[in-house]
Amino acid sequence: MVTLVSAAALTVAAAPAGAAPAKAQEAPASVGFKCSNSWKNAGSLPGKWSKVKDSTCSIFGNPKYKAAYQWAAERGSVCVKVKGFSKGKAKWYNAGCGKTGAIKNVPWGNVAAHKEMKVKGAALFKWR
């Protein structure tokens, strides 16, 4: 289960009781504790969608934030769907099939969540 929290809600929750509202500031594109763009290893099975998740870091988006994903199969080939968000609700976007691929501009918005992919095909691959 993924709990979704808006960056605005986190800001309000962190303010002391009775404090005056802070000036609205544009949130950074992504924030996280030691987030990295390093490759993660994964594997998938033929004929079945498998999920892979980057649980090392969350993206704290903003209303205009777009996520990007990339994959490279070391053995085999995969079909990929990536997680994004529409009106605060998770939505899976088709990213294509092949040994390598990338998708940019996946709608994310004002949501805090982990990046996830659904993958189908017998493969060992890396993703980010």
Side-chain angles (χ1 to χ4, degrees):
M1 183 170 136
V2 175
T3 302
L4 305 176
V5 179
S6 74
L10 290 172
T11 304
V12 171
K23 250 187 182 178
Q25 294 180 0
E26 186 173 324
S30 65
V31 177
F33 182 72
K34 295 187 180 181
C35 288
S36 75
N37 198 26
S38 64
W39 290 93
K40 291 123 189 95
N41 294 316
S44 61
L45 302 171
K48 180 181 179 183
W49 288 102
S50 305
K51 280 188 186 180
V52 294
K53 178 179 178 179
D54 180 2
S55 58
T56 63
C57 184
S58 289
I59 294 174
F60 289 81
N62 64 52
K64 295 181 181 180
Y65 183 73
K66 307 282 185 184
Y69 292 81
Q70 185 177 8
W71 75 92
E74 295 176 343
R75 291 192 183 137
S77 182
V78 293
C79 289
V80 175
K81 293 181 181 184
V82 298
K83 184 172 78 172
F85 293 89
S86 176
K87 297 179 183 175
K89 295 186 180 190
K91 181 176 178 180
W92 293 96
Y93 296 89
N94 287 322
C97 298
K99 286 188 155 294
T100 63
I103 184 171
K104 296 179 180 178
N105 298 320
V106 177
W108 197 272
N110 200 26
V111 174
H114 298 287
K115 285 174 73 171
E116 287 185 71
M117 291 176 41
K118 287 184 181 179
V119 185
K120 184 166 54 170
L124 296 174
F125 64 97
K126 293 182 180 280
W127 74 285
R128 60 181 176 184

